[in-house]
Amino acid sequence: MPMKPLRILYNHRTRSRDGQSVHIDELIEALRAEGHKVTVVGPLRIDAMSHGIERDLLPKAIYELAELAFSAVEFLQLYIQGRKIKPDLIYQRANIHMLGAAWAARFLKTRLFVEVNAPLTRERQKHPGLAWPKLARWSEHFLWRQA
């Protein structure tokens, strides 16, 4: 029996045009090919060879707090789009300090699906390192528990 098309609010923080963006674009296209309506909330893409200059300019501790603070911006973007499209679910590609979708799902009274490709806290702790590892672990686990 065919599945009813879903209204999906898709959220990500991937700026680079690289393997990650190919994965995101292909997944979105696959969902659309199945008849689902996918609305994307995410940053503009840049060339994969470009550096995240803000990461190079800001002290690690400030950069990580900025990542967490950006969750408020994402929440507003998701909430505004969600009020327009009334999604059946929010689909988020996970990243550290990315809590906006969890908050939006709660306010919109919809389901949250989280795609986790790696334990990013562990990865970033090694390369380039984390100023606030406990905060990173907390934010990652908070998101996972909300899904």
Side-chain angles (χ1 to χ4, degrees), residues 34-64:
E34 289 295 317
H36 305 297
K37 181 178 180 349
V38 182
T39 302
V40 179
V41 173
L44 295 175
R45 302 274 179 78
I46 60 172
D47 180 42
M49 300 312 287
S50 298
H51 237 125
I53 191 164
E54 64 280 355
R55 188 176 289 188
D56 295 338
L57 292 178
L58 293 175
K60 205 177 294 187
I62 302 298
Y63 180 80
E64 291 170 29

Side-chain angles (χ1 to χ4, degrees), residues 26-116:
E26 291 296 320
L27 179 61
I28 291 167
E29 287 309 309
L31 290 167
R32 287 177 175 156
E34 289 295 317
H36 305 297
K37 181 178 180 349
V38 182
T39 302
V40 179
V41 173
L44 295 175
R45 302 274 179 78
I46 60 172
D47 180 42
M49 300 312 287
S50 298
H51 237 125
I53 191 164
E54 64 280 355
R55 188 176 289 188
D56 295 338
L57 292 178
L58 293 175
K60 205 177 294 187
I62 302 298
Y63 180 80
E64 291 170 29
L65 292 175
E67 284 182 292
L68 183 59
F70 192 71
S71 291
V73 173
E74 281 176 331
F75 164 74
L76 288 173
Q77 292 172 331
L78 290 163
Y79 184 74
I80 289 166
Q81 284 299 316
R83 293 286 305 237
K84 288 179 188 174
I85 70 166
K86 308 226 181 316
D88 297 301
L89 64 97
I90 296 175
Y91 186 111
Q92 177 168 290
R93 182 176 168 93
N95 205 335
I96 297 173
H97 303 308
M98 198 170 171
L99 307 179
W103 301 333
R106 184 172 286 175
F107 274 83
L108 294 168
K109 295 181 171 67
T110 194
R111 295 172 286 177
L112 173 64
F113 282 52
V114 176
E115 174 188 332
V116 179

Side-chain angles (χ1 to χ4, degrees), residues 2 4 7-8 13 15 18 20 25-26 43 46 55 69-71 83 106 112 121 128 138 145:
K4 174 187 156 232
R7 292 177 311 274
I8 301 169
R13 256 191 212 175
R15 290 180 40 214
D18 58 10
Q20 295 176 78
D25 294 343
E26 291 296 320
I46 60 172
R55 188 176 289 188
F70 192 71
S71 291
R83 293 286 305 237
R106 184 172 286 175
L112 173 64
T121 297
W138 173 84
R145 285 189 309 271

